[in-house]
Amino acid sequence: MPVGTAATVKGLSQSALEDLGVQILLCNTYHLFLRPGHELIRQMGGLHEFMSWPRAILTDSGGYQVFSLAKLRKITDDGVRFRSHLDGSEQLLTPEKAVQIQVALGSDIAMVLDECIETPAPRNQAQKALERTTKWAQRARAFFLEQEKQNDLAQMQFGIVQGATFADLRRESARQLLELDFPGYAVGGLAVGEPHELTCEMAGEVITLLPSDRPRYLMGVGKPEQLADYVSLGIDMMDCVLPTRAARHGCLYTGYGRVLIRNARYAKDPRPIDEQCSCGVCTRYSRGYLRHLFSADELLAAILGTHHNVHFYLDMMRQIREAIAFGNLAKFSSDSHERLAAGPS
């Protein structure tokens, strides 16, 4: 899922996203709650109508954004009290409030509020966060089911497994959430600084417990060469700001590693970003031209770079699906690591 934080994927119009084949976007509850406000979006017909996006939308709970604003927030069993990064106003985000906001937004998939903690974390802190995450999930689930009954919601709610880097806590979190019978489950609190191998280990501990007939979502991942590893574990859904954020900083992905397009070596390079890529950027523009755009800080630089990177990620997922169909996902994963580690010419 490309990340459309404030109801927009930076650098790409909705029609461009449709042309790229994007089926689902992630939008950010925290940011949309603060600006322009969930009630305004409700009055404008909901998030799909507001941003003119006819395909699926997943909204996160805002938990990770609050986690990242450590100096501006205080967590209690009731919820999270924080100060807006926009105007300093004090806000309270509870499990029920997160549901209320997402119901107003009208997303297709809504995440429960969870407590995300730093990694590495001491066991007692991870245990406490797990217990709070479960209690919040129970409250969020009960409130959501009430709203569903009253409003006939066309929305699915996902639970989020926590437990930091402790395998037994991860398993316990999953077991507790299974009792709430969510239609989908996410694995949160990973890819926040721990090694990739540890991310896979923790995700693997959880996936074996989660029902295979429901979506399993690993939040906030990952680098191109890591995607097949996660799918091999049984992950169905992923999101990451990396393709769009990296593009804006001149980091472009290819089947043979990253091209740091601002590098002087590309000034006279007539080749496309990736000679094997079929995206509209690679079929039309040279590395030399793209380097010029980035050097001149032209808006088109970020637009073209983002278009290519999103296409690259979506094509990587297409290749993964193809590898599954032909029964050679393990080989594809191994080859991807080897190719992408080699670096472009």
Side-chain angles (χ1 to χ4, degrees), residues 110-136:
M111 307 304 299
V112 298
L113 184 65
D114 62 327
E115 183 178 358
C116 186
I117 60 175
E118 297 87 352
T119 297
R123 184 181 175 88
N124 63 337
Q125 185 184 359
Q127 175 76 48
K128 190 172 182 180
L130 183 161
E131 292 169 359
R132 184 173 282 150
T133 291
T134 298
K135 289 175 182 175
W136 284 358

Side-chain angles (χ1 to χ4, degrees), residues 252-259 273-274 312 339-344:
L252 309 176
Y253 294 106
T254 78
Y256 294 90
R258 302 179 308 163
V259 167
I273 301 166
D274 186 341
F312 179 83
R339 281 188 296 103
L340 293 167

Side-chain angles (χ1 to χ4, degrees), residues 92 290 293:
L92 176 64
L290 287 163
L293 293 178

